[in-house]
Amino acid sequence: MGQNQASLHQTNSNQPFDVVVVGAGAMGSATAYHLAQDGQRVLLLEQFQVGHLRGSSHGGSRIIRYTHEDVDFTRWMPATFALWRRLEQESGQSLMQLTNGLYFGLGNDPFLTSAQQALHTLGFPYRLLTASDVHREFPQFQLDDEWVALEQTETGILAATRCVQTMVAQAIQHGATLQESCKVRAIQAAGEGVVIRYATHGAETEVYAKRVVITAGPWVNQLLDPLLGYGLPLTPTHQQVAYFRVEEPALYAIGRCPIHIFFDGNLGAYGFPIYEKPGYVKVAIELANISIDPDQPAAIDQSALQQLSAEVAKRLVGVDPEPHGAESCRYTETPNRDFIVDYHPEHPQIIFATGFSGRGFKHSIAIGRALADMAQSEPGVYHQEFWLPRFALNVFAP
Ligand SMILES: Cc1cc2nc3c(=O)[nH]c(=O)nc-3n(C[C@H](O)[C@H](O)[C@H](O)COP(=O)(O)OP(=O)(O)OC[C@H]3O[C@@H](n4cnc5c(N)ncnc54)[C@H](O)[C@@H]3O)c2cc1C
């Protein structure tokens, strides 16, 4: 489990649990962190090991940004940044690094237009740059003449796996119990509480808790479908990132090189300054509709690597388009890419959060706060700062 190995030991507790959290990705670890800090007795169950490579939350970097296509998410961001900073202070870990952000597209691109509107409405600073401004100030990028850039400085990088490990470590420090290699098989309401059945090292075990929070990422349908009696429209998809060597590292250093996202109708390619590997930048592109079985190991997608190479050749200056290393990851997508965060309609002791697609990581510490509040509230009470009516189950139910 990496750097926090010493503090991420499993603990045993004979006490009953207030809340069982299923899945120790970004969402589950954030939920356990907040619950444990609130003094709740928490059991965090993970089918693999914390930081494993088969879900959505592993890797060296995720983008965090104020810039969103709507006011709802943009409004959250100062509080979300503050939660990450507080975690850094409490843990002594460096988790978030700012480096400026450039969002490229045609002047009438829907994302750029609405993001600009949201920033303007909330009074957050931004600049609009023409293609020639960009070429003068940021010689790392090649843009067609008619493209523009929205610059927003509150943009940075979260060290993803380290964030997850740190939230788990902090949860344990506040009394949570972590059980790895535990596959939850079934969840059943029992009176006002809930029974969670899981398999560990070939043996089946049951645990009772007052509440359960299901944050199972791409596997969530396996647990939710039987509980709801229907399938939520969730698609686990394969995603590919790769690393590319830069000729002039100073140009792509943090602080000199912004996070960059290209919008051409949809989110296209996006990239980071040098962060994870000295001399290399990470570039990715959102792949649509490659539905996968999360129980199958992730493979490298060669055609996606070719797309990435073409994007690098077209858009980045002084970067070798031959990939040097690649990583696979998974999204869990809803049809509109919005999140689902709600109570079970008949058994509100069961709470779930899913559908975080390609943008959930930055919000995980805030969504975890909302889930921790829901797990300690009467049914139907939602965290006011970090929950939105558009996350309600009935928006997505068939
Ligand atoms: C390539 C890529 C780039 C991304 N970039 C960004 C970005 O720049 N910014 C951003 O904000 N977001 C980004 N995201 C999205 C973000 O990483 C995800 O939205 C987020 O990590 C989702 O976390 P999760 O906890 O829901 O899922 P997961 O991380 O998949 O966690 C679910 C966990 O539940 C466990 N589990 C499942 N079933 C069971 C079971 N039955 N019993 C026990 N455990 C179980 C799994 O093993 C897993 O550990 C990116 C994602 C990818 C893949």
Side-chain angles (χ1 to χ4, degrees):
M1 279 183 291
Q3 42 127 34
N4 288 316
Q5 184 84 40
S7 52
L8 281 183
H9 62 282
Q10 296 180 11
T11 58
N12 290 313
S13 167
N14 294 323
Q15 294 186 325
F17 293 101
D18 293 314
V19 186
V20 170
V21 179
V22 180
M27 299 300 159
S29 59
T31 307
Y33 159 65
H34 290 297
L35 282 167
Q37 275 204 329
D38 292 348
Q40 295 286 296
R41 290 160 302 180
V42 181
L43 173 63
L44 175 59
L45 296 175
E46 168 54 49
Q47 63 181 339
F48 304 124
Q49 306 295 302
V50 172
H52 69 89
L53 307 181
R54 297 178 62 172
S56 309
S57 302
H58 59 278
S61 53
R62 292 290 188 280
I63 299 169
I64 181 164
R65 50 185 159 93
Y66 271 30
T67 312
H68 287 84
E69 60 271 57
D70 56 56
V71 174
D72 287 341
F73 286 109
T74 313
R75 183 181 286 118
W76 286 9
M77 293 321 293
T80 304
F81 273 60
L83 286 175
W84 286 115
R85 288 294 184 216
R86 197 180 82 189
L87 176 64
E88 284 186 313
Q89 279 162 9
E90 288 166 0
S91 63
Q93 296 288 332
S94 169
L95 303 173
M96 182 166 73
Q97 200 156 357
L98 297 193
T99 186
N100 197 8
L102 286 180
Y103 306 86
F104 298 118
L106 291 169
N108 62 356
D109 178 88
F111 176 91
L112 291 193
T113 311
S114 45
Q116 190 187 331
Q117 182 64 45
L119 292 166
H120 177 76
T121 302
L122 295 166
F124 296 146
Y126 64 90
R127 274 202 312 158
L128 276 180
L129 308 179
T130 63
S132 57
D133 295 333
V134 170
H135 293 147
R136 194 176 56 251
E137 295 185 37
F138 299 100
Q140 303 91 339
F141 306 108
Q142 283 169 171
L143 281 193
D144 292 342
D145 287 348
E146 64 276 22
W147 278 49
V148 298
L150 172 67
E151 181 191 31
Q152 215 290 325
T153 52
E154 265 79 23
T155 309
I157 303 171
L158 288 166
T161 297
R162 193 154 72 233
C163 290
V164 171
Q165 290 171 330
T166 301
M167 290 190 284
V168 174
Q170 289 301 107
I172 291 171
Q173 198 172 323
H174 286 91
T177 299
L178 166 69
Q179 295 274 357
E180 297 172 298
S181 305
C182 288
K183 172 98 178 168
V184 173
R185 300 268 187 225
I187 294 170
Q188 201 175 10
E192 299 207 332
V194 62
V195 171
I196 296 101
R197 189 155 48 82
Y198 61 93
T200 179
H201 305 297
E204 293 259 336
T205 310
E206 273 185 4
V207 64
Y208 176 85
K210 293 181 193 160
R211 302 280 172 102
V212 66
V213 179
I214 306 171
T215 48
W219 291 266
V220 74
N221 277 115
Q222 295 176 358
L223 296 172
L224 268 188
D225 290 4
L227 285 167
L228 293 170
Y230 58 83
L232 276 176
L234 293 164
T235 310
T237 64
H238 174 87
Q239 302 294 328
Q240 196 66 64
V241 309
Y243 299 86
F244 297 88
R245 193 175 52 76
V246 305
E247 284 162 12
E248 206 184 315
L251 204 55
Y252 283 89
I254 291 230
R256 178 73 183 93
C257 177
I259 293 285
H260 39 280
I261 306 184
F262 293 86
F263 293 91
D264 35 19
N266 282 308
L267 188 152
Y270 61 95
F272 296 75
I274 295 169
Y275 181 70
E276 296 177 34
K277 301 185 186 199
Y280 292 83
V281 289
K282 180 167 110 176
V283 179
I285 190 165
E286 290 220 309
L287 302 173
N289 298 326
I290 307 180
S291 175
I292 48 103
D293 172 358
D295 285 324
Q296 295 302 315
I300 301 295
D301 178 340
Q302 294 301 333
S303 78
L305 286 189
Q306 282 171 9
Q307 273 187 65
L308 283 175
S309 290
E311 288 290 330
V312 167
K314 183 169 150 196
R315 305 199 190 272
L316 301 184
V317 176
V319 180
D320 177 3
E322 184 66 28
H324 293 268
E327 233 173 48
S328 301
C329 190
R330 274 92 185 257
Y331 286 178
T332 309
E333 302 198 43
T334 55
N336 66 359
R337 298 197 153 183
D338 237 338
F339 311 157
I340 309 178
V341 182
D342 213 338
Y343 297 92
H344 188 287
E346 284 133 46
H347 307 295
Q349 64 271 49
I350 300 171
I351 297 156
F352 48 88
T354 183
F356 294 101
S357 70
R359 59 184 191 172
F361 201 96
K362 66 183 82 58
H363 301 301
S364 58
I365 201 156
I367 297 284
R369 181 64 268 168
L371 289 166
D373 274 15
M374 288 165 71
Q376 297 173 76
S377 301
E378 293 301 314
V381 176
Y382 299 91
H383 187 283
Q384 294 191 348
E385 195 171 9
F386 299 125
W387 189 86
L388 299 167
R390 62 200 243 194
F391 299 166
L393 176 67
N394 60 21
V395 173
F396 300 89

